[in-house]
Amino acid sequence: LHRVASVNSRFCRISEDETLWIRMDLGNKALRRGSIGKVFSRGLIILRLAQARIQSPLFESHFVVAGFQTKLQYLDLSMASIDETSLAQLLSTCRLLKKLSLEQLKIDVNVCKEVAENKDLEVLNLAMCEGLEIEGLKIMMKKLQSLTAANISWTSLSSESMKVLVTSIASSIMRLNIAGSRRALNDSSELYEILL
């Protein structure tokens, strides 16, 4: 589409039609500074950035408009190379997400706050994420009441974090993966009672 746009002005207008930009796969790509803003401005619904290398800043200075929101509903950032600050900034433009994968990323409480703003989120994959703390978990579990599937495996949750998870997760949950949490479960027989 980018090449087609360079043919002439008519082709350029046609190539910018949002219906042509519903899905994009940029997995394993290196994204230069400011390119995320260009991608988001196309009106994408589905975006795969798995294992992508994303350079900061994500948005060019003239692009950032207060309150800009993407139309993204499905976002895969599994194993992408992106720092926590940029990740939080990227997620701050997403409020319509239904499925989100942050597998094997470093996250912090600010990332958790931005994830929690997607109140219609149904599927969340945080497998092998580093930095998932009790405060961020509380924020997400309180607001994400539409979750039907969550993968929080191998995140080194403490017993206290595990207790927060199992006592406050949405009642709509159908699938929950907490593999790798045996130590947290062994620390508290109370958790077994809650799970049963």
Side-chain angles (χ1 to χ4, degrees), residues 75-131:
L75 178 59
D76 182 0
L77 282 156
S78 301
M79 296 177 275
S81 175
I82 184 170
D83 63 78
E84 296 99 313
T85 304
S86 297
L87 179 58
Q89 183 186 22
L90 186 152
L91 291 171
S92 72
T93 66
C94 302
R95 294 295 181 257
L96 303 173
L97 292 175
K98 291 184 179 179
K99 293 184 180 181
L100 174 64
S101 179
L102 302 178
E103 184 175 328
Q104 211 171 337
L105 297 186
K106 290 183 180 179
I107 62 174
D108 59 17
V109 71
N110 293 321
V111 170
C112 293
K113 285 177 184 175
E114 298 301 341
V115 169
E117 292 301 317
N118 291 277
K119 294 190 172 57
D120 293 327
L121 193 66
E122 297 169 3
V123 178
L124 177 61
N125 181 8
L126 298 176
M128 296 179 280
C129 281
E130 292 179 35

Side-chain angles (χ1 to χ4, degrees), residues 1-177:
L1 286 171
H2 182 69
R3 288 187 198 127
V4 167
S6 64
V7 172
N8 59 37
S9 59
R10 182 168 181 250
F11 275 48
C12 184
R13 281 194 310 278
I14 292 169
S15 71
E16 291 175 354
D17 187 316
E18 281 190 5
T19 59
L20 299 173
W21 295 91
I22 292 172
R23 175 191 303 255
M24 184 176 284
D25 185 347
L26 296 172
N28 288 313
K29 304 288 185 205
L31 302 176
R32 293 182 294 217
R33 293 179 172 95
S35 58
I36 287 290
K38 292 175 184 173
V39 168
F40 279 10
S41 68
R42 298 292 186 189
L44 294 169
I45 304 292
I46 303 165
L47 179 59
R48 182 176 177 270
L49 291 167
Q51 298 182 8
R53 293 164 305 286
I54 305 167
Q55 292 183 359
S56 296
L58 304 179
F59 305 103
E60 294 176 353
S61 57
H62 67 275
F63 176 82
V64 180
V65 178
F68 170 79
Q69 297 298 307
T70 69
K71 295 180 179 182
L72 279 175
Q73 293 180 25
Y74 305 94
L75 178 59
D76 182 0
L77 282 156
S78 301
M79 296 177 275
S81 175
I82 184 170
D83 63 78
E84 296 99 313
T85 304
S86 297
L87 179 58
Q89 183 186 22
L90 186 152
L91 291 171
S92 72
T93 66
C94 302
R95 294 295 181 257
L96 303 173
L97 292 175
K98 291 184 179 179
K99 293 184 180 181
L100 174 64
S101 179
L102 302 178
E103 184 175 328
Q104 211 171 337
L105 297 186
K106 290 183 180 179
I107 62 174
D108 59 17
V109 71
N110 293 321
V111 170
C112 293
K113 285 177 184 175
E114 298 301 341
V115 169
E117 292 301 317
N118 291 277
K119 294 190 172 57
D120 293 327
L121 193 66
E122 297 169 3
V123 178
L124 177 61
N125 181 8
L126 298 176
M128 296 179 280
C129 281
E130 292 179 35
L132 182 59
E133 303 278 329
I134 192 167
E135 192 58 38
L137 197 58
K138 281 181 182 177
I139 292 166
M140 287 191 296
M141 292 306 107
K142 180 180 179 183
K143 290 190 171 186
L144 298 177
Q145 292 301 305
S146 296
L147 277 181
T148 59
N151 184 350
I152 309 180
S153 59
W154 304 100
T155 53
S156 303
L157 291 179
S158 65
S159 294
E160 193 61 33
S161 297
M162 187 62 69
K163 186 175 179 181
V164 166
L165 174 67
V166 298
T167 57
S168 59
I169 198 160
S171 59
S172 57
I173 200 80
M174 299 296 288
R175 293 186 311 259
L176 176 63
N177 185 348

